[in-house]
């Protein structure tokens, strides 16, 4: 029997092609890189052209670099060095760049400098293009937020409370030395009363240190401990208070920031592999979506979603000329300020408030049967009726401001006689007659929200929100591995997220 040899296909690395194939022929018609190319070709890049100088040597075309960046973010290549390498190694990048080879400095400079004032316009043009094709709606959106870690050292931080504590120590030390100086001062050279140290600044500290040195530094009968304290105060306090003032200027309304990225705030992240609630420097990213396309995005330094909606809505109006007609969001946005904002903007809001989900359960009413929201209100007499049938008369109203400056008006009502009431123990725990505070405007807005959320349309929108906006974050963070920004500073972080948003939209269109 003859021995059979294995048969192989021809393999010759030196084979010469009579008609070499073009890169275009090697790329499938349905490949996502063609969608990137098509979309970028359709939008206007006029704002990008303004970022270039007329004088100087020739530059790579901004359309080329934009396509390379967007396709890089679409395929999980975020590093400028890896993008530069891909332009030499990948046929998809080589096709987009027309066999040009921009280095990593060129790509990084384009991303961090050229795109600074132009990327928002590019993103808006992409959204309008997709809206014209009927793939998304600009008028009906779902809003949510997530926290993403900053490119910052999590061990180099500044805390507002720490600054306040140190300033209090400075006040006490200066007051103590001043009181000692008053005790030892002679009658003819008596020390004046100590300055008001309730609010200290660099000028006040400097003057206090100079006066103390003038009275105490040259004396030989001064207590050694006080003398050592004065030396320490003279050497450190003026520069320390100047540093604290600079840090407070950076903090603004925030409680913390990272020294390596001063725009990043320390927040609790969901992606906590240590499971110990560790704080990390990051940004709160807010997006609005429609059919899993990103319609709008904003970057915020504050960790709570409640205070982000106003700026986010203003950005939507700035981008598209008007507010959305309908907005759906979770309970993180359910505040009086946000409800009032949406009502003023004539936006039909399907936004939960804090206790909405619990109110849907039967146990809610049984747990707090005597809550202020369960009491009967007599509108004609402007009084509430307590569980024993007594009138709770109005004590007047007062106004308070929230941390964002929003004014709330609250009314106070007090029961007449709770002393011998048999239901007092289960009604309230106050030693005096029961007082309740009512925010009538908030109650009205919550009642409107309750009715809308439980309507047939509201139920459908609540269900849709879960599989519209949340999967976008899941796709970017889990499937595409973007859990940490690579650029520093709020402006550059906004550029990076803008590229991610464009990539997400084109990826969705290609799918």
């Amino acid at each position: 029997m003859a021995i059979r040899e294995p048969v192989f296909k021809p393999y010759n690395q030196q084979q010469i092609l009579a008609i070499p194939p073009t890169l275009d022929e090697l790329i499938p018609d349905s490949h996502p890189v063609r969608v990137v190319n098509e979309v970028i070709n359709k939008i206007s890049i006029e704002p990008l052209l303004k970022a270039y100088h007329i004088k100087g040597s020739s530059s790579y075309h901004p359309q080329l670099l934009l396509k390379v960046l967007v396709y890089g973010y679409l395929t999980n290549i975020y590093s400028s060095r890896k993008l530069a390498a891909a332009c030499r190694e990948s046929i998809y990048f080589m096709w987009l760049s027309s066999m040009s080879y921009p280095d990593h400095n060129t790509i990084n400079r384009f991303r961090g400098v050229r795109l600074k004032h132009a990327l928002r316009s590019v993103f808006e043009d992409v959204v309008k293009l997709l809206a014209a094709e009927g793939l998304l709606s600009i008028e009906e959106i779902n809003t949510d937020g997530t926290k993403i870690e900053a490119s910052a050292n999590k061990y180099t931080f500044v805390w507002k409370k720490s600054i306040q504590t140190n300033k209090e120590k400075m006040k006490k030390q200066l007051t103590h030395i001043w009181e000692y100086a008053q005790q030892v001062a002679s009658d003819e050279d008596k020390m004046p009363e100590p300055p008001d140290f309730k609010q200290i600044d660099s000028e006040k500290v400097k003057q206090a240190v100079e006066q103390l040195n003038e009275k105490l530094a040259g004396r030989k009968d001064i207590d050694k401990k006080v003398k050592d304290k004065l030396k320490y105060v003279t050497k450190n306090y003026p520069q320390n208070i100047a540093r604290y003032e600079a840090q407070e200027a950076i903090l603004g309304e925030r409680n913390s920031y990272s020294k390596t990225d001063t725009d990043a705030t320390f927040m609790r992240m969901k992606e906590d592999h240590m499971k110990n609630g560790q704080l990390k420097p990051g940004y709160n990213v807010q997006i609005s979506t429609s059919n899993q396309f990103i319609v709008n995005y904003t970057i915020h330094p504050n960790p709570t979603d409640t205070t982000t909606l106003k700026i986010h809505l203003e950005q939507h109006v700035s981008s598209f000329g008007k507010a959305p007609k309908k907005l759906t969001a979770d309970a993180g946005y359910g505040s009086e300020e946000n409800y009032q904002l949406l009502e003023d903007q004539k936006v039909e809001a399907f936004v939960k408030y804090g206790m909405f989900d619990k109110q849907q359960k039967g146990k809610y009413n049984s747990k707090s049967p005597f809550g202020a929201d369960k009491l009967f209100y007599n509108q004609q007499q402007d009084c509430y009726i307590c569980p024993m049938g007594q009138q709770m008369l109005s004590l007047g109203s007062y106004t308070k401001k929230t941390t964002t400056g929003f004014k709330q008006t609250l009314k106070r009502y007090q029961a007449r006689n709770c002393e011998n009431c048999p239901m007092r123990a289960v009604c309230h725990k106050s030693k005096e007659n029961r007082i309740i505070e009512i925010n009538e405007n908030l109650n009205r807005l919550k009642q409107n929200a309750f009715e809308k959320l439980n309507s047939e349309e509201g139920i459908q929108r609540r269900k849709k929100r879960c599989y519209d906006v949340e999967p976008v974050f899941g796709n970017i963070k889990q499937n595409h591995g973007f859990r940490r920004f690579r650029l520093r500073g709020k402006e550059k972080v906004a550029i990076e997220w803008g590229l991610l948003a464009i990539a997400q939209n084109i990826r969705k269109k290609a799918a």
Side-chain angles (χ1 to χ4, degrees):
M1 184 176 178
I3 298 174
R4 297 186 63 184
E5 295 288 335
V7 180
F8 299 103
K9 295 183 186 295
Y11 174 63
N12 183 5
Q13 290 180 291
Q14 282 73 43
Q15 177 69 47
I16 299 175
L17 298 176
I19 304 176
T22 64
L23 289 173
D24 189 73
E25 291 174 335
L26 297 175
I27 298 172
D29 292 339
S30 59
H31 199 277
V33 73
R34 293 191 180 275
V35 182
V36 172
N37 188 64
E38 176 193 351
V39 170
I40 302 301
N41 282 341
K42 285 182 179 179
I43 64 174
S44 170
I45 60 165
E46 190 65 30
L48 262 177
L49 299 177
K50 294 177 181 177
Y52 287 82
H53 301 293
I54 297 174
K55 297 180 180 180
S57 61
S58 60
S59 304
Y60 286 102
H61 201 283
Q63 201 171 44
L64 178 161
L65 295 171
L66 181 61
K67 289 177 182 179
V68 167
L69 270 172
V70 170
Y71 186 65
Y73 275 72
L74 190 143
T75 54
N76 311 342
I77 303 175
Y78 310 116
S79 163
S80 59
R81 293 182 182 275
K82 289 182 179 179
L83 286 169
C87 288
R88 294 180 175 274
E89 299 167 359
S90 168
I91 60 169
Y92 306 114
F93 283 92
M94 291 164 71
W95 177 68
L96 284 176
S97 65
S98 185
M99 297 292 288
S100 297
Y101 308 119
D103 62 13
H104 72 94
N105 281 324
T106 301
I107 294 172
N108 208 34
R109 187 164 55 250
F110 176 79
R111 178 172 56 182
V113 180
R114 309 290 191 195
L115 285 177
K116 184 184 296 184
H117 302 296
L119 186 65
R120 174 66 68 169
S121 176
V122 172
F123 168 76
E124 290 166 3
D125 283 351
V126 172
V127 171
K128 290 172 184 176
L129 177 67
L130 297 174
E133 294 179 7
L135 295 174
L136 60 86
S137 170
I138 294 172
E139 296 183 338
E140 298 183 9
I141 60 174
N142 301 277
T143 300
D144 202 1
T146 192
K147 300 177 186 69
I148 295 183
E149 190 176 349
S151 175
N153 189 332
K154 59 188 176 184
Y155 300 113
T156 56
F157 42 76
V158 173
W159 296 95
K160 180 178 280 189
K161 285 188 177 179
S162 177
I163 293 173
Q164 292 171 347
T165 301
N166 289 334
K167 286 173 76 173
E168 286 298 322
K169 289 179 180 177
M170 292 174 72
K171 292 178 192 178
K172 290 181 180 178
Q173 193 73 284
L174 287 170
T175 304
H176 172 71
I177 299 174
W178 199 283
E179 289 173 351
Y180 178 82
Q182 284 181 316
Q183 291 175 6
V184 300
S186 59
D187 294 335
E188 64 275 7
D189 194 25
K190 195 171 178 68
M191 284 286 289
E193 288 298 316
D196 181 13
F197 289 127
K198 287 183 180 179
Q199 295 292 332
I200 63 170
D201 53 39
S202 54
E203 189 62 31
K204 193 178 287 187
V205 169
K206 184 180 177 181
Q207 289 178 359
V209 169
E210 287 176 354
Q211 284 183 285
L212 288 170
N213 275 299
E214 184 182 343
K215 300 296 181 182
L216 299 178
R219 297 181 62 129
K220 296 182 180 180
D221 57 339
I222 302 301
D223 184 271
K224 187 179 182 302
K225 289 184 178 179
V226 175
K227 205 167 188 176
D228 291 340
K229 285 180 181 180
L230 183 58
K231 284 182 181 178
Y232 180 84
V233 166
T234 305
K235 182 180 178 181
N236 296 289
Y237 277 18
Q239 62 187 32
N240 285 355
I241 192 67
R243 185 174 75 251
Y244 295 150
E245 286 177 345
Q247 290 173 343
E248 286 177 326
I250 295 172
L251 280 166
E253 299 297 323
R254 296 180 293 162
N255 291 321
S256 62
Y257 71 83
S258 172
K259 291 180 180 178
T260 49
D261 182 357
T262 56
D263 290 340
T265 307
F266 279 79
M267 309 175 182
R268 297 193 189 279
M269 306 287 178
K270 286 184 179 179
E271 295 79 20
D272 181 12
H273 64 282
M274 296 295 288
K275 304 296 182 184
N276 59 358
Q278 186 181 18
L279 294 169
K280 296 178 182 178
Y283 293 91
N284 187 354
V285 179
Q286 297 288 310
I287 64 170
S288 293
T289 65
S290 174
N291 295 329
Q292 295 186 3
F293 290 91
I294 299 176
V295 177
N296 182 29
Y297 68 89
T298 48
I299 310 295
H300 304 265
N302 45 307
T304 56
D305 292 337
T306 313
T307 56
T308 62
L309 187 61
K310 183 179 180 181
I311 296 172
H312 191 70
L313 204 59
E314 287 173 354
Q315 180 60 59
H316 189 102
V317 174
S318 174
S319 296
F320 307 111
K322 58 181 180 180
K325 288 184 177 178
K326 298 182 180 182
L327 183 146
T328 309
D330 63 13
Y333 302 87
S335 68
E336 182 184 0
E337 181 177 4
N338 288 341
Y339 283 133
Q340 191 63 57
L341 171 69
L342 293 166
E343 185 177 77
D344 294 343
Q345 295 277 352
K346 297 182 180 178
V347 179
E348 190 174 357
F350 298 87
V351 180
K352 292 181 182 179
Y353 47 87
M355 299 297 291
F356 176 79
D357 287 329
K358 289 187 177 180
Q359 285 180 352
Q360 309 305 303
K361 300 176 182 178
K363 292 182 180 179
Y364 175 77
N365 291 324
S366 61
K367 280 188 176 181
S368 55
F370 303 126
D373 57 329
K374 308 290 193 312
L375 302 179
F376 175 77
Y377 176 64
N378 187 324
Q379 192 171 6
Q380 293 180 345
Q381 298 182 13
D382 188 24
C383 68
Y384 280 82
I385 308 300
C386 82
M388 283 298 292
Q390 291 189 65
Q391 288 186 344
M392 301 181 72
L393 302 178
S394 174
L395 297 177
S397 61
Y398 70 98
T399 302
K400 71 174 184 179
K401 283 187 178 181
T402 64
T403 54
T404 59
F406 180 75
K407 291 182 179 180
Q408 293 180 314
T409 301
L410 292 95
K411 281 188 174 182
R412 304 176 82 236
Y413 295 86
Q414 185 174 32
R416 289 182 176 180
N417 182 20
C418 294
E419 188 174 350
N420 298 316
C421 179
M423 301 184 72
R424 178 171 182 168
V426 292
C427 182
H428 68 102
K429 296 181 180 179
S430 173
K431 294 181 180 180
E432 307 295 332
N433 291 337
R434 183 182 181 183
I435 297 177
I436 60 172
E437 290 187 346
I438 304 296
N439 187 331
E440 291 182 345
N441 187 49
L442 178 59
N443 288 346
R444 177 185 65 82
L445 294 168
K446 286 170 69 174
Q447 182 60 33
N448 291 343
F450 182 86
E451 292 172 1
K452 284 184 179 179
L453 289 165
N454 282 313
S455 66
E456 187 174 342
E457 182 185 5
I459 293 169
Q460 291 300 319
R461 290 190 176 278
R462 279 159 51 197
K463 290 179 180 178
K464 184 180 179 181
R465 188 199 68 82
C466 298
Y467 59 80
D468 195 308
V469 63
E470 292 180 3
V472 173
F473 284 133
N475 186 41
I476 291 172
K477 295 169 81 172
Q478 185 66 32
N479 297 338
H480 296 279
F482 193 92
R483 297 177 179 275
R484 190 172 190 262
F485 288 111
R486 283 153 177 77
L487 304 181
R488 292 181 176 178
K490 187 179 177 181
E491 283 187 344
K492 291 186 177 181
V493 162
I495 292 171
E496 198 165 10
W497 187 261
L499 289 167
L500 281 167
I502 295 170
Q504 165 67 20
N505 288 349
I506 294 177
R507 185 189 297 121
K508 184 69 179 173
K509 174 181 166 63

